[in-house]
Amino acid sequence: MTNSKTPPVAITLGDPAGIGPRIIFETCSTLISQKRNFFFLIADFCKVKPLADKFNCPVEKIKLCDDITLNKDVLAVYDYKFNEEITPGVSNPSESENVLGMIDKAVELILEGRASAMVTGPINKELIASSCKIKFTGHTEYLTKKFTSVKKTVMMMQAEDFRVVPLTQHIPLKSVPKYITKKNIKETIHIVNKSLKEFWNIEHPKIYVSGLNPHSGENGIIGHEEVLEINPALQELKSEGINVSGPFPADSLFNKMIRKEYDVAICMYHDQALIPIKSIFFESVINVTLGLPIIRTSPGHGTAFDIVASEKVNINPFKLSLVEAERLAKLKKRD
């Protein structure tokens, strides 16, 4: 049994044919060898057992354990049946419903108090959308819809002390301007400000905000979003006592010296936020979903079907995601 008063962290396998199983088994094996076992895996035990041995987690180190009883030397697997066998590197559309089912099961176990948080393995968004015939753009949006009390969530990417948040998430670039509204900006920054105080112990978070247009619009010469929406939102937030500054030109917001000045950068669209953090810290980027009633983290990369069989893969983002989920879950329980 685990000695921790906090329930264990649930891991969802992600796409069974992607990089998920490999990075999960290698990470868990590494942590268990360090006597750090605070997690369990949701997956089809019989179908992933051969993968565990293949991916540096000897079969004697995993155990079917539906009651989620942890053994410090063994990875517990909560059995969730798949339709077919797993072929690493070869995606299977018939498994898409099971991929979503594992996510649903993790949420269920958290709400029942049997798990404290969830770390999600990478998924293939396109495959799920086409196979399940639903509008699916990612974990963040899917989890948001599962909680009727939640109107907005925020995707925060983190690496060391560098944090970025895209105001708009998985939407086409041509649709971005219509979401650059005072309301959206204020709601996002309220969630980020509150989260940084509660979970990162930053008493007065310093928040920098980018503009949408080149040179932040040059006072309306190159676009009007900064003048009409972004700046008015920031002025109102300042009047509430939130330490927010901007809008700054995005092309100069991420150099080494300026990054030291803020706790988080709020960017106007997905790539404006993710290109700098992944370019600088690709091997340590994780994703933390803010605004949910549960804790969810994930590595900041995709399914990587093409490198599943590589000689060596980088498990650091997944390991960091798992450790961060435990930290956040303990803080949430304390509150």
Side-chain angles (χ1 to χ4, degrees), residues 4-154:
S4 173
K5 295 180 181 180
T6 305
V9 175
I11 301 170
T12 61
L13 191 69
D15 192 305
I19 200 71
R22 180 168 181 181
I23 60 173
I24 289 167
F25 284 124
E26 292 193 10
T27 298
C28 292
S29 181
T30 298
L31 289 171
I32 288 171
S33 70
Q34 299 169 352
K35 304 301 181 184
R36 300 176 67 191
N37 190 349
F38 52 86
F39 42 79
F40 67 97
L41 173 65
I42 300 174
D44 187 318
F45 179 77
C46 291
K47 292 187 174 67
V48 299
K49 193 173 182 180
L51 298 182
D53 198 37
K54 180 180 177 67
F55 297 140
N56 300 321
C57 185
V59 291
E60 65 269 17
K61 289 293 186 180
I62 72 169
K63 181 181 179 182
L64 180 64
C65 202
D66 285 348
D67 63 353
I68 319 177
T69 300
L70 297 190
N71 179 313
K72 65 179 181 179
D73 298 318
V74 176
L75 171 60
V77 179
Y78 183 98
D79 204 23
Y80 189 94
K81 295 299 182 184
F82 298 164
N83 298 328
E84 299 178 23
E85 296 299 321
I86 301 169
T87 304
V90 181
S91 61
N92 189 339
S94 68
E95 294 292 2
S96 293
E97 289 188 3
N98 293 326
V99 172
L100 293 181
M102 287 184 285
I103 298 169
D104 294 340
K105 177 56 68 174
V107 172
E108 178 185 320
L109 292 171
I110 294 171
L111 295 179
E112 289 175 355
R114 300 170 70 190
S116 61
M118 65 189 294
V119 181
T120 54
I123 55 176
N124 187 322
K125 302 178 183 67
E126 180 185 1
L127 197 65
I128 292 173
S130 60
S131 302
C132 299
K133 294 181 170 47
I134 60 173
K135 184 179 179 181
F136 185 88
T137 55
H139 278 105
T140 305
E141 294 85 353
Y142 183 76
L143 288 168
T144 303
K145 290 178 181 178
K146 290 190 69 66
F147 296 95
T148 55
S149 61
V150 175
K151 293 183 172 56
K152 183 174 183 60
T153 53
V154 170

Side-chain angles (χ1 to χ4, degrees), residues 315-334:
I315 66 170
N316 197 45
F318 191 84
K319 183 179 178 182
L320 292 170
S321 301
L322 196 50
V323 171
E324 184 72 337
E326 183 197 29
R327 184 187 75 82
L328 295 171
K330 286 181 177 179
L331 286 173
K332 189 172 181 66
K333 183 178 178 64
R334 185 185 68 187

Side-chain angles (χ1 to χ4, degrees), residues 33-328:
S33 70
Q34 299 169 352
K35 304 301 181 184
R36 300 176 67 191
N37 190 349
F38 52 86
F39 42 79
F40 67 97
L41 173 65
I42 300 174
D44 187 318
F45 179 77
C46 291
K47 292 187 174 67
V48 299
K49 193 173 182 180
L51 298 182
D53 198 37
K54 180 180 177 67
F55 297 140
N56 300 321
C57 185
V59 291
E60 65 269 17
K61 289 293 186 180
I62 72 169
K63 181 181 179 182
L64 180 64
C65 202
D66 285 348
D67 63 353
I68 319 177
T69 300
L70 297 190
N71 179 313
K72 65 179 181 179
D73 298 318
V74 176
L75 171 60
V77 179
Y78 183 98
D79 204 23
Y80 189 94
K81 295 299 182 184
F82 298 164
N83 298 328
E84 299 178 23
E85 296 299 321
I86 301 169
T87 304
V90 181
S91 61
N92 189 339
S94 68
E95 294 292 2
S96 293
E97 289 188 3
N98 293 326
V99 172
L100 293 181
M102 287 184 285
I103 298 169
D104 294 340
K105 177 56 68 174
V107 172
E108 178 185 320
L109 292 171
I110 294 171
L111 295 179
E112 289 175 355
R114 300 170 70 190
S116 61
M118 65 189 294
V119 181
T120 54
I123 55 176
N124 187 322
K125 302 178 183 67
E126 180 185 1
L127 197 65
I128 292 173
S130 60
S131 302
C132 299
K133 294 181 170 47
I134 60 173
K135 184 179 179 181
F136 185 88
T137 55
H139 278 105
T140 305
E141 294 85 353
Y142 183 76
L143 288 168
T144 303
K145 290 178 181 178
K146 290 190 69 66
F147 296 95
T148 55
S149 61
V150 175
K151 293 183 172 56
K152 183 174 183 60
T153 53
V154 170
M155 181 172 74
M156 186 176 78
M157 308 302 290
Q158 172 178 292
E160 300 178 12
D161 292 329
F162 184 28
R163 306 176 189 88
V164 295
V165 167
L167 180 74
T168 57
Q169 297 170 10
H170 300 116
I171 62 172
L173 189 57
K174 67 179 181 180
S175 301
V176 167
K178 69 180 180 181
Y179 291 97
I180 309 301
T181 65
K182 188 167 72 169
K183 180 175 183 291
N184 194 14
I185 295 164
K186 291 181 65 177
E187 287 178 349
T188 298
I189 292 177
H190 279 139
I191 291 171
V192 172
N193 189 62
K194 182 174 183 288
S195 298
L196 291 180
K197 287 182 177 181
E198 292 181 357
F199 293 105
W200 280 266
N201 297 316
I202 302 173
E203 186 175 348
H204 200 42
K206 194 166 187 178
I207 302 168
Y208 276 22
V209 180
S210 76
L212 171 66
N213 299 293
H215 310 295
S216 283
E218 294 276 17
N219 292 318
I221 296 174
I222 313 173
H224 299 282
E225 287 82 5
E226 288 80 8
V227 173
L228 298 179
E229 303 292 343
I230 302 175
N231 196 52
L234 301 190
Q235 293 306 313
E236 290 186 17
L237 289 164
K238 287 177 183 178
S239 70
E240 298 173 20
I242 294 177
N243 188 6
V244 61
S245 302
F248 297 103
D251 62 0
S252 59
L253 190 55
F254 305 108
N255 72 62
K256 187 174 182 179
M257 296 308 299
I258 293 180
R259 291 202 313 271
K260 295 178 180 179
E261 297 179 4
Y262 54 81
D263 297 303
V264 63
I266 309 294
C267 303
M268 294 298 108
Y269 56 91
H270 183 279
D271 286 8
Q272 193 183 54
L274 272 65
I275 286 174
I277 195 168
K278 286 191 174 183
S279 296
I280 302 167
F281 297 104
F282 185 76
E283 294 190 346
S284 59
V285 178
I286 70 170
N287 176 11
V288 182
T289 305
L290 308 180
L292 287 173
I294 64 172
I295 300 296
R296 179 257 169 167
T297 67
S298 70
H301 59 73
T303 48
F305 291 111
D306 57 326
I307 64 168
V308 173
S310 297
E311 182 178 348
K312 189 175 181 179
V313 297
N314 177 27
I315 66 170
N316 197 45
F318 191 84
K319 183 179 178 182
L320 292 170
S321 301
L322 196 50
V323 171
E324 184 72 337
E326 183 197 29
R327 184 187 75 82
L328 295 171

